[in-house]
Amino acid sequence: MTPQQVVLTPTALLLDWGDGAVRLTHAALRGACRCSQCESARRQGHPLALSQDVRIVRLEALGHYAVQLVFSDGHDRGIYPWEMLARLSALALQVSAST
Ligand SMILES: [Zn+2]
């Protein structure tokens, strides 16, 4: 599963899966990082102190299955499979539909 269109804006990543763009903010994506460093911080009960001002500074495609996001706080270990981004998009849609 890959999006038809990916647009990086100053505050969000816009992903179009075929039925309109879904907006995932840079801060939300930073918080969703699944790298070993972030996962172990979570496991130890130290959720990351994340600034809402964190920005994606670079986006690199990793083959057809994922993107690597590099953040303004220097964090560059986050690999985001499209499948995971699709799941985050579905959640974001549910949230926006219920508010
Ligand atoms: Zn991470």
Side-chain angles (χ1 to χ4, degrees):
M1 179 173 211
T2 55
Q4 295 181 355
Q5 201 181 22
V6 179
V7 179
L8 186 61
T9 77
T11 56
L13 190 63
L14 304 180
L15 298 169
D16 188 344
W17 302 96
D19 45 9
V22 181
R23 187 173 175 278
L24 298 174
T25 66
H26 295 193
L29 288 164
R30 177 67 181 84
C33 183
R34 285 282 172 264
C35 79
S36 55
Q37 197 181 328
C38 294
E39 287 286 31
S40 82
R42 259 183 227 110
R43 265 200 307 276
Q44 291 163 20
H46 302 300
L48 307 164
L50 292 176
S51 161
Q52 288 300 307
D53 296 331
V54 70
R55 294 283 169 264
I56 296 169
V57 294
R58 212 168 73 232
L59 181 152
E60 276 178 41
L62 298 177
H64 288 297
Y65 83 98
V67 282
Q68 180 171 11
L69 301 181
V70 179
F71 291 91
S72 56
D73 60 358
H75 197 65
D76 63 357
R77 301 180 61 181
I79 308 288
Y80 294 74
W82 292 123
E83 182 264 324
M84 167 193 170
L85 291 171
R87 235 177 318 121
L88 290 175
S89 299
L91 284 175
L93 283 179
Q94 277 175 19
V95 169
S96 62
S98 66
T99 49

